[in-house]
Amino acid sequence: MSQEDVVSLADKISGVLEKEKNAKFPCKEKFDEINTKLSEIRSKISASLPQDQTDKLRDALHDLNNILAECLGLSNQQQNVKKSLVSAFSCCMPAHLSNKLSKVETTLQDILPAGIEQQVIGSPGPSSQEEDDVGDDYEWTCSYVDESMLYGDKDEAEKIIKALVKDEDFNAVGIVGSYGSGKTNLARKVFIDEKVKDEFPLRLWVCVGPDCKKHELLYRMLDNLGLETDEVEEIVNNSKAVKDSSNKDSAKIGVLLFILHWQLSDVKYLIVFDDVWCSTDIEWYRNLGSKPPTDKAWDDRLGYGLPKGNGNAVIITCRNEKDVRTMVDTGLVYTPKRLEVDEGFRLFKRAFDEAKKNSNLPVEEGLEKKLEEMKKQIVDKCLGFPAALMAAGRGLATQQNPCVD
């Protein structure tokens, strides 16, 4: 297919989305986001995009066109079906379509590195920082990161991957450590590993954070699976379970868990729950490997919404070891290693160089040589903690006359 044909296909998709701009169909918001980038795709092609990239783009646009057709087909079916809990599911984004759409986004991300960002649950945007202090400046994490920004021993990720792919119904791994110890970095390394991508067709990243309510967490997950929030709310509010319940808030959680379970039931998944704080509601997170009960409501444990029996897996990062062991039960609990001198100094120096470049301050003559000579003292002073090393590098770079003696 020529570049002109690829442009024509992009125009076709854009035209359909424009025609259906007032329609409701699964994952419409995500399609609209992609549509805003089609003009950038055209400009890339007109600037003589390499043939291998053109071929990748062609395949991605073909997939996007097919996914759009299926979603519009589901929407048309819904128009003639009475709204009920079961029938309304037909207008939601099935997991296999959500998975295909995620692959298309990944391809477009490769071609447009500054364009479409990988979808993140509960995150305003990508962050290259490890974690931030809790409060108004809390830094939401996501799975997308420049791979050159990752650090640490490759063997650490391999140990976790081995635990995730064990021949079990369900595998849970916990990563525990204090703030800035590298938990999120390690989870990201596992999440983007090629073996993990091959093993788990569906991968979700959930930044939980402090004070996360049950319904907020579930809506984030369902949104990332392609379900429109207003449609899910209508399903929940109109369900018999909620209407007949004296405790509607609890019943709504149960219905949301049922929808989540249904949505994940036909695909092998890996879910990362990053930065979980569960001290105030430990029962909600207890033993994520729990199977849903047959004799009572599903409203009291997150694990009931996670299907078992297909080799599915979860990773939990947490600052409290007791809490993470409660969540993974008998699963592996791993603490990231502190960085060795060379790796730690590389992280420090990268943060220093980036901050110095942005500060427009001159580099003191001989400073870099001094830093190289003191690298062991720098890493030891920061206890090998990634966040401390990056903060030290940025702080030193913005000083007018830094003293490193």
Side-chain angles (χ1 to χ4, degrees):
M1 179 179 283
S2 67
Q3 292 183 345
E4 291 77 12
D5 292 331
V6 175
V7 171
S8 177
L9 182 55
D11 288 338
K12 175 184 175 182
I13 295 171
S14 184
V16 172
L17 289 171
E18 179 64 24
K19 180 181 177 181
E20 302 291 344
K21 63 181 180 181
N22 295 322
K24 285 188 175 182
F25 54 89
C27 228
K28 183 176 185 299
E29 292 181 1
K30 182 53 60 178
F31 277 110
D32 289 341
E33 291 176 17
I34 293 175
N35 191 30
T36 63
K37 296 298 176 182
L38 290 181
S39 60
E40 188 174 351
I41 289 172
R42 296 186 195 93
S43 67
K44 282 275 185 180
I45 295 174
S46 62
S48 297
L49 194 69
Q51 187 60 46
D52 62 331
Q53 294 288 73
T54 300
D55 292 341
K56 286 177 64 177
L57 181 56
R58 171 202 62 201
D59 294 341
L61 290 178
H62 270 304
D63 289 342
L64 182 63
N65 187 54
N66 291 337
I67 296 167
L68 178 58
E70 287 193 62
C71 288
L72 291 172
L74 289 173
S75 179
N76 291 334
Q77 292 173 18
Q78 172 61 21
Q79 293 176 7
N80 299 317
V81 179
K82 181 179 178 181
K83 279 260 184 176
S84 66
L85 180 59
V86 176
S87 65
F89 284 166
S90 65
C91 73
C92 297
M93 184 74 154
H96 75 282
L97 290 182
S98 179
N99 184 40
K100 287 181 180 179
L101 188 57
S102 295
K103 289 182 178 180
V104 170
E105 289 184 280
T106 300
T107 300
L108 295 178
Q109 175 66 35
D110 292 340
I111 297 172
L112 302 172
I116 302 169
E117 296 168 353
Q118 184 169 341
Q119 188 175 7
V120 178
I121 308 176
S123 170
S127 167
S128 61
Q129 297 181 2
E130 167 64 15
E131 298 158 80
D132 208 344
D133 292 328
V134 178
D136 292 338
D137 296 328
Y138 182 79
E139 193 80 38
W140 292 95
T141 67
C142 66
S143 60
Y144 173 75
V145 67
D146 182 348
E147 291 190 34
S148 67
M149 300 295 288
L150 297 175
Y151 50 82
D153 190 344
K154 184 179 179 181
D155 290 344
E156 289 190 294
E158 291 293 336
K159 289 178 182 178
I160 292 176
I161 293 169
K162 185 177 179 179
L164 292 173
V165 300
K166 288 192 303 183
D167 187 17
E168 302 285 351
D169 287 350
F170 183 81
N171 294 305
V173 172
I175 303 176
V176 65
S178 60
Y179 164 74
S181 60
K183 303 183 298 297
T184 298
N185 171 79
L186 181 53
R188 282 173 173 154
K189 289 177 72 173
V190 173
F191 193 84
I192 67 171
D193 186 270
E194 291 300 324
K195 293 189 294 294
V196 169
K197 292 178 182 179
D198 291 340
E199 185 73 20
F200 300 99
L202 177 64
R203 295 170 301 122
L204 299 181
W205 183 280
V206 190
C207 181
V208 180
D211 302 321
C212 181
K213 308 301 181 185
K214 296 177 183 178
H215 69 280
E216 293 173 355
L217 175 60
L218 294 172
Y219 273 115
R220 286 181 200 170
M221 297 179 72
L222 293 172
D223 177 72
N224 202 56
L225 286 168
L227 279 68
E228 302 289 350
T229 298
D230 57 346
E231 292 182 353
V232 175
E233 287 179 341
E234 185 175 358
I235 293 170
V236 171
N237 293 333
N238 291 331
S239 66
K240 189 175 185 299
V242 171
K243 287 182 175 181
D244 294 348
S245 177
S246 58
N247 186 344
K248 296 192 181 303
D249 288 341
S250 181
K252 288 179 180 180
I253 297 299
V255 175
L256 287 170
L257 284 169
F258 178 80
I259 297 173
L260 178 63
H261 190 281
W262 179 87
Q263 192 70 9
L264 294 172
S265 60
D266 65 346
V267 64
K268 188 174 183 180
Y269 63 79
L270 168 66
I271 302 176
V272 175
F273 294 99
D274 188 41
D275 200 20
V276 177
W277 297 61
C278 59
S279 300
T280 58
D281 199 357
I282 190 63
E283 290 304 315
W284 168 245
Y285 290 102
R286 182 180 296 279
N287 188 7
L288 294 179
S290 299
K291 294 183 179 180
T294 58
D295 57 349
K296 67 171 187 175
W298 290 19
D299 56 8
D300 57 353
R301 285 197 184 182
L302 174 59
Y304 295 160
L306 306 176
K308 314 303 187 299
N310 193 30
N312 299 316
V314 296
I315 298 174
I316 302 98
T317 75
C318 183
R319 306 184 189 190
N320 185 296
E321 183 173 354
K322 182 179 177 181
D323 288 348
V324 80
R325 290 191 182 278
T326 298
M327 288 183 272
V328 304
D329 196 35
T330 59
L332 172 70
V333 174
Y334 190 85
T335 301
K337 298 177 184 177
R338 296 185 181 184
L339 296 181
E340 299 293 337
V341 172
D342 288 341
E343 183 77 3
F345 184 72
R346 183 176 71 85
L347 195 62
F348 166 89
K349 189 63 167 53
R350 186 173 65 202
F352 174 87
D353 290 342
E354 290 176 354
K356 179 62 72 175
K357 181 179 179 180
N358 294 330
S359 70
N360 295 319
L361 293 173
V363 178
E364 178 188 338
E365 184 177 353
L367 176 60
E368 295 203 12
K369 182 179 179 182
K370 290 180 184 178
L371 293 176
E372 180 71 29
E373 292 171 349
M374 296 178 63
K375 64 182 181 181
K376 185 178 187 306
Q377 295 147 274
I378 292 170
V379 175
D380 288 347
K381 186 73 173 177
C382 295
L383 303 177
F385 271 33
L389 286 160
M390 289 188 286
R394 288 191 292 265
L396 185 67
T398 53
Q399 293 181 18
Q400 285 282 359
N401 297 296
C403 176
V404 294
D405 295 330

